[in-house]
Amino acid sequence: MKSAVETLNPTRVRLTVEVPFEELKDSLDAAYKKINQQVTVKGFRKGKIPARIIDQRFGRGAVLEEAVNDALPKFYTEAVNEAELNVLGQPEVDITELKDGETLNFTAEVDVRPTIEIPDYSGIEVEVDAVEVSDEDIEKAVSDLRERFASTSPVERAAQDEDVVTLDLEAKVDGEILEDGVASGVSYTIGSGELLEGIDDAVKGLEAGGETTFTSELKGGSAAGKEAEVTVKVTQVAARELPELDDEFAQLASEFDTLDELRADSRKRLENMKQYDQATQAQERVLEKLLELVEVPVPEKLLEDEINTRKHNLEHHQLGQMGLDLAKYLEIQGKTEEEFDAETKEAAVKGIKTQFVLDELVNREKLNVNQEELTEHLMRRAASSGMSPDQFAQAVVEGGQVPMLVGEVARGKALAVVVEAATVKDTNGEVVDLDDEEDEAAETVAATEGSAVAEAEVEAEVEEKPEA
């Protein structure tokens, strides 16, 4: 076999491959064997039909087609390895010549990783928010905890703000009651904004047994986005009672004996949260500065796939769970379809460039991922997905996504290397030490910046037959 590589642009090549016919012998034998098992010819036992009879009855062309489709992946892979190409996705294959008994010639166009030069990044400087926890922040945290331990007791009076009311609801659209528009015994805190728009004004002033009707736009269900006539009946009014802020509350709501200890723990927790947010902010801003320093060509097909993936995930997963379609989402966001497309493309380009640059750093810095690091990352990803670690791990293995997970950890380590070399100061002008939060935050940032590159490489590693 002979092969040659032609560079079409920085991210795409054309392989030209010439295969002597004798190298197709194994595939031809396999083709005859396969056809033998699929057809019957009178006078011959199944699987014992001579090759000349198969040629006469079914045509030599059918055998050649089967043999070529069987052989193409092997010859394509050999050509890729011989040229030391780092391919992305599946190739577009074209058989340019097939002469029985003489030669098989084909071309394969495929996207490849571009060559990237990483400049000196040690001069990167970024500014992040200072970690500051005020007394007001602590009091709000304690107040929120207090809200969680509020109790309720029925009252015989009209409902008012912050009361917990029990409601029966019935929604009509165009005079017809919706099948999914009836609910009984719904608990709702007035002023929480967790139900329909307008329901607060409707129920305030009603006592138990009171009923009223109002108009509201439905947020979900079969008639999401439509105006509905909603009848609401209050079956109970209950007043919320907050516990006293004292040592007894601290013992009830935490492992601490005093309210002062609870407040001190709240300060520590808030500081830890803000330090993590600060680290994440540093990763994002350092990454932006790094991308500005590097020229990164983006493969057109890869970009197209990433844009389509992002749109599909938004429309069929995120919006679907909220009962919205893209048109309604854009209306809520106040964006045109053109603005949405431009933002999606910009995010996709950034995601692809990020993976290219960080992967180049992984190679340059010879960064490896050990089992402990992979397990820790898997645990975090499982927690964010709402799955148990075992369930998430099984899904990753079954989906062939382990290389993607390894890539996320490696890219996180590469980004941490860049951040360590950069100068990070807070808004007070103080140099920030990110050692404690750096690696985890970097992995989070790296993992959220697109997925097209890793998916394309996983796809390229899977043995599939390029269609002739």
Side-chain angles (χ1 to χ4, degrees):
M1 185 195 80
K2 294 193 303 182
S3 64
V5 180
E6 177 188 356
T7 300
L8 303 177
N9 61 49
T11 62
R12 194 165 180 83
V13 299
R14 179 188 291 122
L15 283 164
T16 302
V17 184
E18 299 179 10
V19 183
F21 204 81
E22 56 266 22
E23 294 188 30
L24 286 172
K25 183 181 183 305
D26 289 344
S27 294
L28 279 169
D29 292 343
Y32 278 116
K33 185 176 181 180
K34 182 176 181 180
I35 294 173
N36 242 307
Q37 299 299 322
Q38 294 176 338
V39 301
T40 57
V41 175
K42 189 175 181 180
F44 297 95
R45 285 184 297 164
K46 195 176 185 67
K48 299 296 183 179
I49 308 168
R52 61 181 177 79
I53 300 299
I54 291 177
D55 289 346
Q56 290 172 4
R57 291 293 186 91
F58 306 102
R60 174 72 166 175
V63 179
L64 288 175
E65 181 179 354
E66 180 66 35
V68 168
N69 281 333
D70 177 74
L72 275 177
K74 180 185 70 171
F75 294 127
Y76 165 73
T77 302
E78 287 180 6
V80 167
N81 292 337
E82 184 179 290
E84 298 182 343
L85 298 176
N86 198 340
V87 299
L88 299 168
Q90 293 299 316
E92 295 179 5
V93 176
D94 181 31
I95 296 176
T96 56
E97 186 176 27
L98 176 57
K99 289 185 178 180
D100 194 358
E102 296 183 26
T103 186
L104 163 66
N105 297 336
F106 69 90
T107 62
E109 288 191 17
V110 66
D111 285 333
V112 294
R113 275 180 173 267
T115 301
I116 298 174
E117 296 294 332
I118 306 292
D120 179 19
Y121 48 78
S122 60
I124 291 178
E125 295 186 9
V126 298
E127 184 181 74
V128 295
D129 295 334
V131 174
E132 296 175 343
V133 178
S134 65
D135 291 341
E136 289 76 13
D137 293 332
I138 297 170
E139 290 309 312
K140 184 180 184 306
V142 173
S143 177
D144 290 344
L145 182 61
R146 186 186 181 201
E147 290 282 344
R148 290 169 52 192
F149 284 84
S151 59
T152 60
S153 57
V155 292
E156 295 182 3
R157 59 165 173 77
Q160 59 190 32
D161 281 331
E162 298 186 1
D163 281 347
V164 179
V165 289
T166 304
L167 309 173
D168 293 340
L169 297 163
E170 180 184 88
K172 294 180 180 179
V173 174
D174 298 329
E176 297 290 331
I177 299 176
L178 300 172
E179 289 186 8
D180 56 354
V182 179
S184 300
V186 177
S187 181
Y188 175 66
T189 302
I190 298 176
S192 67
E194 295 174 353
L195 276 179
L196 298 169
E197 185 176 344
I199 197 169
D200 289 341
D201 292 336
V203 298
K204 278 192 295 188
L206 294 181
E207 297 183 12
E211 183 177 310
T212 189
T213 300
F214 66 101
T215 301
S216 181
E217 182 179 302
L218 298 179
K219 295 182 179 179
S222 60
K226 292 184 178 180
E227 288 288 327
E229 185 181 81
V230 182
T231 300
V232 56
K233 181 179 180 180
V234 178
T235 60
Q236 185 185 77
V237 178
R240 297 176 73 250
E241 298 177 0
L242 296 173
E244 292 293 328
L245 277 180
D246 52 23
D247 291 347
E248 186 176 339
F249 167 69
Q251 295 163 19
L252 170 69
S254 71
E255 70 271 28
F256 301 106
D257 294 327
T258 68
L259 188 60
D260 287 342
E261 290 175 333
L262 176 60
R263 286 193 170 106
D265 181 70
S266 296
R267 178 181 293 277
K268 182 179 179 181
R269 289 175 184 271
L270 288 172
E271 287 176 346
N272 289 340
M273 288 173 57
K274 292 198 174 189
Q275 284 171 353
Y276 181 81
D277 291 342
Q278 185 188 64
T280 302
Q281 190 179 67
Q283 317 302 322
E284 292 171 346
R285 294 183 178 178
V286 167
L287 177 59
E288 289 174 1
K289 292 281 189 179
L290 177 63
L291 294 180
E292 290 173 4
L293 296 176
V294 187
E295 186 68 30
V296 185
V298 176
E300 293 182 8
K301 181 65 168 60
L302 190 66
L303 177 59
E304 179 184 343
D305 289 345
E306 177 68 356
I307 291 172
N308 290 336
T309 297
R310 288 172 182 257
K311 286 184 176 180
H312 178 84
N313 288 342
L314 176 65
E315 292 187 62
H316 298 279
H317 296 290
Q318 300 170 35
L319 296 183
Q321 292 175 357
M322 295 187 288
L324 298 174
D325 58 17
L326 182 60
K328 188 63 182 177
Y329 168 76
L330 294 178
E331 180 184 331
I332 294 172
Q333 294 291 314
K335 296 176 183 175
T336 65
E337 190 169 346
E338 291 74 18
E339 290 172 333
F340 169 75
D341 287 343
E343 289 179 2
T344 303
K345 181 178 180 180
E346 182 180 357
V349 168
K350 182 183 178 185
I352 293 170
K353 286 184 174 182
T354 296
Q355 292 200 27
F356 280 153
V357 171
L358 295 183
D359 284 345
E360 180 63 29
L361 277 168
V362 169
N363 294 330
R364 195 174 87 169
E365 301 292 339
K366 295 180 173 57
L367 301 175
N368 296 312
V369 177
N370 61 41
Q371 186 62 47
E372 182 181 356
E373 291 168 336
L374 183 60
T375 301
E376 289 177 356
H377 184 64
L378 186 147
M379 299 279 281
R380 287 194 289 268
R381 288 292 303 272
S384 65
S385 69
M387 300 169 68
S388 72
D390 287 344
Q391 289 175 324
F392 187 79
Q394 183 178 355
V396 166
V397 173
E398 291 178 352
Q401 304 300 303
V402 174
M404 288 181 61
L405 226 60
V406 173
E408 289 174 359
V409 179
R411 284 189 285 274
K413 294 178 72 171
L415 181 55
V417 168
V418 181
V419 174
E420 185 177 355
T423 300
V424 181
K425 294 183 178 180
D426 63 21
T427 49
N428 294 328
E430 299 292 331
V431 175
V432 177
D433 181 6
L434 299 171
D435 286 347
D436 292 339
E437 304 289 345
E438 186 174 337
D439 289 343
E440 182 179 342
E443 283 180 27
T444 301
V445 172
T448 56
E449 289 295 346
S451 60
V453 180
E455 288 178 349
E457 291 186 328
V458 170
E459 179 187 2
E461 290 172 3
V462 175
E463 183 177 345
E464 295 185 7
K465 294 183 180 180
E467 292 300 327

